[in-house]
Amino acid sequence: MVKRNHRSAYLLILPYLLFLGVFLIYPILFSVWLTFHDWNIVSTDIPFVGLENYKRLMEDELFFTSLWNTVRFILINIPLQIVLALLLAVALNQPIKGRGFFRGAYFLPVVTSGVVISFLWAWMLSTDGGIINEVLGRIGIPPVPWLTSETWAIPSLAWVAAWKNLGYYVVIFLAGLQGIPKNLYEAARMDGASPVQNFFRITLPMLNPAMLLVVILSTINGFQLFTEPFIMTGGGPANSSLSVVMYIYKNAFQSLDMGYAATIGLVLALIILTVSLLQKRFLERDTYY
Amino acid sequence: MDRISRGLKRMTMYLILIAGAVLFIFPFYWMVLASIKTPEEVFDLSLIPSKVTWDSYVYMFDRIPVWGSLLNSFIFAGGVTLITLIFTSMAGYALARLEFRGRDVLFSVILLTMMIPFQLLMIPLYIIVVKLGWMNTYAGLVLPVSVNALGIFIFRQFFRTVPQELIDAARIDGAGELKILFRIMLPLSKPACVTVAIFTFMGPWNDLLWPLLVTRDQEMMPLAQAATLFGLEGQGGQWGSIMAVTTILAVPVVVLYLFFQRYFIESVSSTGMKG
């Protein structure tokens, strides 16, 4: 076919590109510009402050607290998610009845608003009348302050987020499992391999791409943590569950410190990009058999 | 493997699956249950209420304009969905079926924009909304978050499978590209449209952060935001009415989900697959 240059193509893309320019490219540049300025959004005087915002960030203990909280959240959330999602996906991958129902049930929290799920679990985990503590009480365990203690706040949030997203990762793992050639298992059976050996020698290595996807997606998700702590703990107690995004929100909308909030946003974006690239670099394995 | 151990294995699998289903469904049941229990019974562990009451709903309807908020949610989520469907299908068509200079570079750039986290954009977007005088308006709520590269990705993928003869025939009949898109490509791509519509709709319907930034008037708040502020405003112990409002927030998406389950799961897994 003759190569043609369709001018109408540009017209078709133009509306999208306009949106992209105004609401994505320009805000990125604007964001970088903001990090070098001090602005409360109201004042007409916007002094250039050089690297002041970055310097302040490096000395800001509360920022590092929020970063550490977020990292702790991710470190608990990811293994929890992988183990449970893998367990359910392996069970779903058997010749069983009602696969559609089970998959559908696991997926329900994925489509439900984080707002719904945060309030729901805030109530279930509550120390005054929450079902979890009530049930624990029946078997003689004193109430655990799931959301109101510095020890438990982050693990509780990590559990709730895992519960919300689990169905999503089950679907990803299931797709990965169904992509593993059956003849690998047949060959292993001939060699007399046990099911446990099968799982660790064949299933897990062959699932590497799915695993990588799950790790990267939940890391990105984890760094964006906002709704759950905003609703369930308010970042407390004593900032022990303050996430980075909540801290951005506080700086921008409680202290009206736009330059500093933009600086944290930019640093967070760079952290997310770097971590996901590193994960891709170090977790990716070639699986040839 | 002998028959007994195979049977055992199968039973274990079912036990795991059923435990999973209970784990994911029970909390929703518990939520709806709390919203219709009497205040005395809310803290009770009974799984079936002795008396059903709508008092929690009445209390909550008194305090938040639920219908107005639902309407705002529909306008917010519907607006974003409509804009995304139209503009990304146009761009997706051009990228899939038309030759033009810079096409591949452009597509790579669009894919790259998917890696930008919202947290980088939220402060400047908020300032843009303020400066345009769009605070507390539907324009401010909808337009800045209507950029969605994933729609382009899915439409482009789907449009590539439409036979070239159909396009050529339409061109011979003198149809312009827009007409080809809306009369031929889109009607043939209903699954793609449903997929894009569903994942786009879900985002703003469930979102809290963006409305929190750009709407301060209760009149203009989507339900997710109104519910959050209601729940956080020290409803000390009023869990029944908080569960009532979250039930109302959950129902539309859950109903959509029950009808379009396959599309939901496909749309969300394709979101992941682009990684």
Side-chain angles (χ1 to χ4, degrees):
Chain A
M1 216 184 114
V2 192
K3 268 214 164 187
R4 290 196 291 164
N5 195 23
H6 287 283
R7 278 214 207 107
S8 47
Y10 297 111
L11 288 177
L12 283 170
I13 298 189
L14 195 65
Y16 183 80
L17 288 186
L18 275 178
F19 265 81
L20 197 69
V22 176
F23 297 123
L24 198 122
I25 309 288
Y26 171 67
I28 294 176
L29 301 174
F30 189 14
S31 183
V32 174
W33 180 88
L34 272 172
T35 65
F36 299 111
H37 293 80
D38 183 14
W39 193 23
N40 64 6
I41 196 167
V42 192
S43 139
T44 46
D45 173 44
I46 310 170
F48 175 79
V49 294
L51 291 174
E52 210 47 54
N53 284 323
Y54 291 93
K55 248 187 242 161
R56 182 176 152 194
L57 186 78
M58 294 315 291
E59 289 157 7
D60 184 352
E61 268 182 42
L62 202 47
F63 166 71
F64 285 101
T65 303
S66 71
L67 187 60
W68 173 232
N69 291 339
T70 310
V71 170
R72 269 195 306 144
F73 168 88
I74 293 172
L75 291 180
I76 301 172
N77 174 258
I78 290 185
L80 207 59
Q81 240 161 215
I82 287 182
V83 171
L84 290 176
L86 207 51
L87 185 72
L88 291 174
V90 168
L92 268 183
N93 198 33
Q94 311 297 320
I96 42 136
K97 291 203 184 81
R99 179 183 291 157
F101 164 77
F102 288 119
R103 197 179 63 160
Y106 305 158
F107 209 74
L108 194 58
V110 179
V111 303
T112 312
S113 174
V115 170
V116 173
I117 281 159
S118 300
F119 277 118
L120 173 51
W121 277 95
W123 180 49
M124 298 211 310
L125 293 171
S126 141
T127 32
D128 102 79
I131 182 170
I132 309 279
N133 278 320
E134 289 291 315
V135 170
L136 289 180
R138 298 270 163 108
I139 53 173
I141 298 173
V144 180
W146 299 111
L147 299 170
T148 46
S149 81
E150 295 185 28
T151 324
W152 283 109
I154 283 286
S156 301
L157 295 179
W159 158 253
V160 174
W163 184 82
K164 173 162 173 39
N165 295 323
L166 210 61
Y168 182 16
Y169 300 119
V170 169
V171 171
I172 293 178
F173 278 135
L174 191 60
L177 286 172
Q178 285 167 350
I180 302 178
K182 294 276 174 290
N183 58 7
L184 288 180
Y185 293 104
E186 273 155 35
R189 206 180 49 196
M190 304 269 208
D191 294 343
S194 72
V196 177
Q197 276 177 323
N198 275 350
F199 181 77
F200 285 101
R201 298 277 172 78
I202 301 174
T203 311
L204 268 190
M206 291 300 285
L207 270 184
N208 185 265
M211 194 71 82
L212 179 70
L213 191 64
V214 170
V215 171
I216 292 183
L217 286 176
S218 28
T219 307
I220 294 177
N221 235 337
F223 275 116
Q224 307 195 338
L225 179 68
F226 176 77
T227 304
E228 288 86 352
F230 187 80
I231 289 176
M232 300 176 70
T233 63
N239 293 319
S240 64
S241 64
L242 181 78
S243 74
V244 180
V245 181
M246 270 187 91
Y247 192 47
I248 298 178
Y249 179 85
K250 283 193 171 192
N251 273 291
F253 304 103
Q254 285 171 13
S255 329
L256 293 182
D257 210 336
M258 296 300 156
Y260 190 51
T263 310
I264 307 173
L266 183 68
V267 169
L268 178 64
L270 291 176
I271 292 176
I272 294 177
L273 279 182
T274 317
V275 172
S276 29
L277 288 177
L278 284 178
Q279 285 173 336
K280 198 167 156 42
R281 171 89 176 65
F282 287 106
L283 295 179
E284 204 160 44
R285 302 251 184 284
D286 295 325
T287 36
Y288 292 121
Y289 276 83
Chain B
M1 225 189 290
D2 54 40
R3 281 239 303 281
I4 297 170
S5 78
R6 193 171 296 173
L8 262 178
K9 184 183 169 196
R10 176 170 282 212
M11 228 171 71
T12 318
M13 291 301 164
Y14 272 114
L15 275 180
I16 293 173
L17 290 170
I18 291 168
V22 171
L23 177 67
F24 288 104
I25 292 177
F26 177 75
F28 287 104
Y29 176 68
W30 196 241
M31 167 174 87
V32 178
L33 199 61
S35 75
I36 55 171
K37 276 179 172 178
T38 57
E40 301 82 56
E41 247 189 343
V42 159
F43 293 105
D44 205 84
L45 289 189
S46 62
L47 292 179
I48 296 157
S50 62
K51 187 169 165 263
V52 170
T53 164
W54 302 105
D55 288 357
S56 294
Y57 286 87
V58 174
Y59 176 88
M60 180 265 297
F61 266 84
D62 274 352
R63 273 155 193 82
I64 20 178
V66 177
W67 297 115
S69 305
L70 269 174
L71 183 68
N72 292 337
S73 285
F74 271 109
I75 294 175
F76 177 30
V80 172
T81 307
L82 200 66
I83 292 176
T84 303
L85 275 179
I86 295 174
F87 290 167
T88 62
S89 68
M90 285 165 68
Y93 171 58
L95 289 165
R97 302 311 290 255
L98 301 174
E99 302 271 351
F100 61 94
R101 208 169 301 138
R103 183 172 77 169
D104 297 339
V105 177
L106 199 60
F107 184 58
S108 319
V109 170
I110 289 173
L111 283 189
L112 261 181
T113 63
M114 288 203 278
M115 310 237 329
I116 309 292
F118 178 71
Q119 286 66 37
L120 176 62
L121 308 172
M122 66 187 232
I123 302 298
L125 283 179
Y126 164 72
I127 296 174
I128 292 171
V129 167
V130 171
K131 293 295 157 193
L132 288 172
W134 282 358
M135 281 298 279
N136 297 307
T137 66
Y138 291 128
L141 205 51
V142 171
L143 294 177
V145 290
S146 293
V147 190
N148 190 332
L150 199 61
I152 293 191
F153 186 74
I154 289 175
F155 276 122
R156 176 176 169 274
Q157 206 87 317
F158 216 91
F159 288 161
R160 290 166 91 173
T161 62
V162 175
Q164 182 66 32
E165 295 81 55
L166 286 177
I167 301 175
D168 291 339
R171 287 223 181 94
I172 291 167
D173 291 343
E177 302 301 339
L178 266 184
K179 200 169 176 185
I180 294 177
L181 172 64
F182 288 109
R183 289 285 164 77
I184 296 173
M185 303 305 269
L186 282 178
L188 284 173
S189 314
K190 282 193 190 110
C193 293
V194 177
T195 304
V196 174
I198 279 175
F199 79 69
T200 313
F201 189 87
M202 251 168 38
W205 183 278
N206 292 340
D207 188 29
L208 172 64
L209 183 52
W210 179 244
L212 221 41
L213 303 191
V214 296
T215 41
R216 305 286 157 83
D217 286 353
Q218 202 184 35
E219 303 286 288
M220 289 301 295
M221 287 180 187
L223 190 57
Q225 182 188 9
T228 303
L229 298 186
F230 170 75
L232 292 180
E233 250 167 31
Q235 302 297 333
Q238 294 287 351
W239 285 111
S241 49
I242 296 177
M243 292 302 112
V245 69
T246 54
T247 301
I248 292 185
L249 177 61
V251 161
V253 176
V254 170
V255 169
L256 263 184
Y257 172 65
L258 293 180
F259 279 102
F260 293 102
Q261 210 195 95
R262 190 168 63 89
Y263 290 103
F264 267 89
I265 294 178
E266 267 166 26
S267 76
V268 176
S269 21
S270 65
T271 329
M273 289 315 168
K274 112 277 174 182

